Amino acid sequence: MPERFEHLKSRTFVIDQEDIDTDQIIPARFLTTTTREGLGDLAFHDWRYDSDGKPLDNVSLNALDTRSHRILVAGRNFGCGSSREHAPWALHDFGFRAVISSEIADIFRSNAAKNGLLPILAPPEAHRWLLEHPDVEIEIDLANQRVDLGNGPGFDFTIEPFARHCLMEGTDPLGFLTAHAADTDAYEARTA
Amino acid sequence: MSPETERPRSLFEKLWDAHLVKAETADTPAILYVDLHLVHEVTSPQAFSVLAERGLKVRRPDRTLATIDHATPTLDFAPGETPPYATEAARNQVETLQANTAAHGIALHGWDSPHRGVVHVIGPELGATQPGMTIVCGDSHTATHGAFGALAFGIGTTEVGHVLATQCLLQRKPKSMRITLDGQTRPGVSAKDIILAIIAEIGVDGGTGCVIEYAGEAIEALDMEGRMTVCNMSIEAGARAGMIAADETTFAWLKGRERVPSGPGWDEAVERWAHFRSEPGATFDHDVFIDATKIRPMITWGTAPDTGIAVDAPVPRARSASHRKALDYMKFQAGMPVSGQKVDQVFIGSCTNSRITDLREAARIMSGRKVAPGVRALVVPGSVAVRVQAEAEGLDRIFIAAGAEWRQPGCSMCIAMNGDKGEPGQLIVSTSNRNFAGRQGPGARTVLASPATAAAAAVAGHVIDPATLTEPAHA
């Protein structure tokens, strides 16, 4: 179960690249796992390691302290590609708690919100500012759906209300669905 | 009747309305009923674990259909032998699905099934995929099933758990987009060329947040395999789902399949299914029109599926830093055509292009020709049934005589997690759906193409428009 998400004050880590697909976030050959834990070492694997599996020296992701940098800022259309939930599992385990872009792919966005990784859509101006000002401290207020950029153009964002509720409570939506089993019974009786 | 319900509805709206267990509110998404849940080994183990942790059962094992496809080897092995898995983890993953499906009473098309195969090939093949259904799977290419007039989309593993436990999903209603292809395509233009042209037109995120309905003369003219190819790649334009209204082509294809009704039940089903089409005057959030007569055989030059161009066209000038990075990765230069590039491997397969008509197209090109020296060509049928059919038609002998490898069914080199893969720097012409960097192996360079174009590349040894191949010696 993810931790409760209310406020987050942390520094940003910027990857100024568009269309970062799920194969970049976690390559498919690592998807033979049957658990969701411990995938952080595999996040952006092929960017971080050489063909022998040795960490590359010149890759800033390898030097990143995610205790102080919990917010990933990425180019437009982050998380496109596959439905693998391993992508947000890996990013969360790596240490990120929020991802900000001007556009985030549908399935990734849905998966992220269910795993304590807050997906935030930024307006173009704020997104550009974040890309151009790497490594800044910003503050995310989920209850008020507000991002404060310090010297930059702070912005309001919207997240689907139920997803927000689940993030703030640290709950999975499964309980909501099981509580409506009688409605499903009625639907099945009606359509049988 | 209120004016609201009199408004002409689209196919998508009809399917959405028909599956509402509970309508959405400001605070909560809709509860949507799922008619068919497809399950495979990669995205399900953690979902079954959640059920076990919470002591939940699978609500409708009869509406759940499982197969093994992603991590499975495509090499031959003798009956009774352990399949030659690439890794212990792959073997464990398949065995985990075997155990989970057995524990929950779910039908699994495993190693001994005559219907084992790629999940998006076997659903339609069994007639499990039917018009008017909601179909989900922990797999982004689930939109394939929309070719039958179904609402089909990919979900994450948490949602796989939701559907296993409750047969329902929480969903906000997506937006709608209609893509109309005006006119007929030229001879030699396949469904793969059509969808690559559509994605190039609207972009890799052009369909984000949308369910796409494909319509128009060129779509209606496609056979079911072609329609599946088109719907399959909807996600490559960012769309949740893609769909095509069911018609006589659909009904003829489904008739007699294992899971569709027969006798009087068949006529009733067809009458019901015929209702699932957009009414005249139905509106969409986005309407896109594409001139089908202008579409040419396509190939991609970059590391995103929207980089399709005509096979002999020059690679366009980079419009962004991402494009420059893609050109560097692909070792292509702007202004130079992809046509003529030396090829290392050819992959014919995947949920996009591994059906019998795809293999016939590839065999038509390879017949009487040889795979060029230094090229490895892999032909991987989408299912055991496709493989059996291809062998009955002698297609396997054509591939083998040409020097291609005729494999057992599976996802294979599309996702490269079963040991079938490209090597760093290799150029692979692939009939699959994604050309992301490293998708077919670290450093491997993928160009997406139709089965005919891929087969032509295999025999020519370089990328080529199949229409310009010289005649084989025996002709």
Side-chain angles (χ1 to χ4, degrees):
Chain A
M1 198 57 60
E3 65 268 40
R4 294 158 72 103
F5 193 122
E6 286 176 7
H7 269 88
L8 178 62
K9 190 173 187 176
S10 185
R11 301 191 75 80
T12 60
F13 179 76
V14 171
I15 306 178
D16 188 3
Q17 186 181 326
E18 294 178 359
D19 303 325
I20 295 174
D21 59 76
T22 48
D23 278 279
Q24 309 313 307
I25 300 172
I26 178 167
R29 64 186 183 279
F30 300 122
L31 303 187
T32 48
T33 178
T34 55
T35 66
R36 60 175 77 198
E37 286 82 28
L39 300 182
D41 286 345
L42 304 174
F44 300 112
H45 181 280
D46 291 354
W47 295 0
R48 292 168 56 205
Y49 301 92
D50 68 14
S51 52
D52 297 324
K54 286 204 205 83
L56 295 162
D57 291 335
N58 56 347
V59 174
S60 49
L61 271 166
N62 283 335
L64 187 67
D65 182 352
T66 51
R67 285 167 302 182
S68 55
H69 293 74
R70 293 204 173 278
I71 300 167
L72 174 63
V73 175
R76 187 183 54 81
N77 196 29
F78 184 78
C80 61
S82 104
S83 62
R84 66 189 68 157
E85 204 158 317
H86 310 68
W89 292 337
L91 294 178
H92 187 276
D93 190 54
F94 185 74
F96 291 126
R97 294 294 177 267
V99 55
I100 303 179
S101 181
S102 57
E103 188 170 14
I104 301 177
D106 287 336
I107 309 179
F108 177 87
R109 186 143 59 112
S110 162
N111 286 338
K114 292 180 179 70
N115 289 283
L117 180 69
L118 174 63
I120 295 179
L121 290 182
E125 189 201 356
H127 184 232
R128 203 160 37 245
W129 188 91
L130 282 163
L131 291 174
E132 288 167 359
H133 296 79
D135 199 358
V136 291
E137 186 174 76
I138 70 171
E139 192 169 357
I140 299 168
D141 175 356
L142 179 55
N144 293 306
Q145 299 183 100
R146 175 81 194 161
V147 177
D148 180 1
L149 299 187
N151 296 328
F155 63 95
D156 295 325
F157 64 96
T158 54
I159 178 164
E160 197 280 307
F162 191 71
R164 181 176 59 145
H165 165 81
C166 290
L167 272 160
M168 292 186 68
E169 296 297 320
T171 62
D172 175 270
L174 180 54
F176 180 83
L177 278 169
T178 52
H180 283 82
D183 292 312
T184 311
D185 294 341
Y187 176 89
E188 286 181 336
R190 188 163 81 234
T191 54
Chain B
M1 198 180 274
S2 73
E4 180 60 22
T5 53
E6 281 169 15
R7 190 174 58 80
R9 289 185 303 164
S10 67
L11 167 60
F12 161 63
E13 288 175 300
K14 286 180 181 178
L15 293 181
W16 179 266
D17 293 348
H19 290 87
L20 282 177
V21 169
K22 199 167 181 294
E24 62 188 286
T25 68
D27 293 334
T28 54
I31 301 180
L32 196 70
Y33 193 78
V34 173
D35 291 319
L36 176 66
H37 184 196
L38 301 165
V39 172
H40 64 75
E41 74 275 21
V42 176
T43 55
S44 64
Q46 298 87 349
F48 281 109
S49 298
V50 168
L51 261 63
E53 283 160 23
R54 302 199 190 182
L56 295 167
K57 288 192 170 70
V58 174
R59 182 182 171 102
R60 294 295 299 264
D62 59 321
R63 289 190 177 275
T64 312
L65 183 65
T67 191
I68 50 176
D69 54 7
H70 285 65
T72 51
T74 58
L75 297 163
D76 291 327
F77 63 97
E81 269 181 25
T82 304
Y85 291 105
T87 60
E88 252 326 275
R91 185 177 70 87
N92 177 55
Q93 194 168 53
V94 168
E95 290 178 1
T96 300
L97 184 63
Q98 288 167 339
N100 282 328
T101 50
H104 290 279
I106 294 168
L108 170 67
H109 289 288
W111 285 113
D112 53 356
S113 169
H115 288 290
R116 180 174 57 82
V118 178
V119 66
H120 308 310
V121 176
I122 70 162
E125 192 174 275
L126 286 162
T129 299
Q130 294 174 13
M133 281 186 164
T134 44
I135 301 174
V136 302
C137 177
D139 193 292
S140 60
H141 294 110
T142 308
T144 310
H145 307 266
F148 291 81
L151 174 59
F153 53 93
I155 56 177
T157 294
T158 298
E159 291 175 320
V160 169
H162 294 173
V163 181
L164 287 173
T166 70
Q167 204 57 33
C168 290
L169 268 180
L170 286 165
Q171 291 285 303
R172 289 284 175 187
K173 190 175 179 179
K175 292 197 181 317
S176 62
M177 174 183 284
R178 177 171 54 190
I179 297 180
T180 306
L181 277 95
D182 293 319
Q184 294 278 15
T185 51
R186 296 189 216 181
V189 170
S190 72
K192 184 62 163 290
D193 302 312
I194 291 175
I195 189 61
L196 285 173
I198 289 172
I199 299 165
E201 176 72 25
I202 69 173
V204 71
D205 55 355
T208 299
C210 292
V211 168
I212 297 175
E213 179 174 350
Y214 301 97
E217 205 180 337
I219 295 293
E220 288 163 20
L222 291 173
D223 59 23
M224 288 315 298
E225 288 82 358
R227 293 181 189 186
M228 284 188 256
T229 299
V230 169
C231 290
N232 171 273
M233 289 187 70
S234 301
I235 183 71
E236 310 317 335
R240 286 310 308 272
M243 50 173 58
I244 295 169
D247 61 10
E248 292 303 324
T249 304
T250 322
F251 307 146
W253 198 93
L254 283 173
K255 193 167 188 181
R257 292 189 185 265
E258 192 174 312
R259 290 204 176 197
V260 297
S262 54
W266 168 256
D267 295 330
E268 285 166 28
V270 168
E271 200 184 317
R272 193 173 66 248
W273 293 343
H275 163 77
F276 292 112
R277 50 177 45 252
S278 293
E279 291 161 18
T283 55
F284 296 81
D285 295 304
H286 306 278
D287 245 316
V288 175
F289 295 90
I290 289 175
D291 183 352
T293 66
K294 295 218 168 104
I295 299 173
R296 311 255 327 273
M298 299 287 282
I299 198 126
T300 59
W301 59 263
T303 54
D306 64 349
T307 57
I309 52 174
V311 173
D312 53 2
V315 171
R317 209 192 306 249
R319 293 189 304 271
S320 64
S322 297
H323 275 181
R324 274 190 293 279
K325 194 168 176 175
L327 282 177
D328 280 353
Y329 183 86
M330 293 301 294
K331 303 189 176 84
F332 290 163
Q333 284 168 3
M336 176 191 79
V338 178
S339 174
Q341 288 285 327
K342 191 187 163 304
V343 169
D344 300 295
Q345 294 208 51
V346 168
F347 171 60
I348 295 165
S350 87
C351 59
T352 313
N353 281 127
S354 64
R355 298 178 181 84
I356 190 68
T357 53
D358 300 316
L359 301 190
R360 285 179 193 145
E361 265 300 280
R364 181 178 64 80
I365 301 288
M366 285 200 193
S367 179
R369 296 185 170 106
K370 291 281 182 199
V371 172
V375 177
R376 180 202 198 207
L378 224 57
V379 184
V380 185
S383 68
V384 174
V386 168
R387 187 178 151 100
V388 167
Q389 175 69 26
E391 290 180 347
E393 296 180 17
L395 306 185
D396 59 322
R397 292 193 294 279
I398 293 172
F399 295 131
I400 292 164
E405 296 178 35
W406 175 239
R407 292 295 188 95
Q408 297 293 331
C411 299
S412 182
M413 210 196 282
C414 171
I415 190 162
M417 58 182 291
N418 76 329
D420 302 340
K421 64 183 175 73
E423 298 303 323
Q426 284 194 331
L427 189 70
I428 306 172
V429 180
S430 179
T431 66
S432 56
N433 39 58
R434 289 189 174 134
N435 51 355
F436 298 151
R439 168 82 175 182
Q440 296 189 294
R445 303 177 296 145
T446 302
V447 296
L448 303 175
S450 70
T453 302
V459 297
H462 55 84
V463 176
I464 186 171
D465 182 337
T468 65
L469 275 179
T470 51
E471 286 303 308
H474 72 79

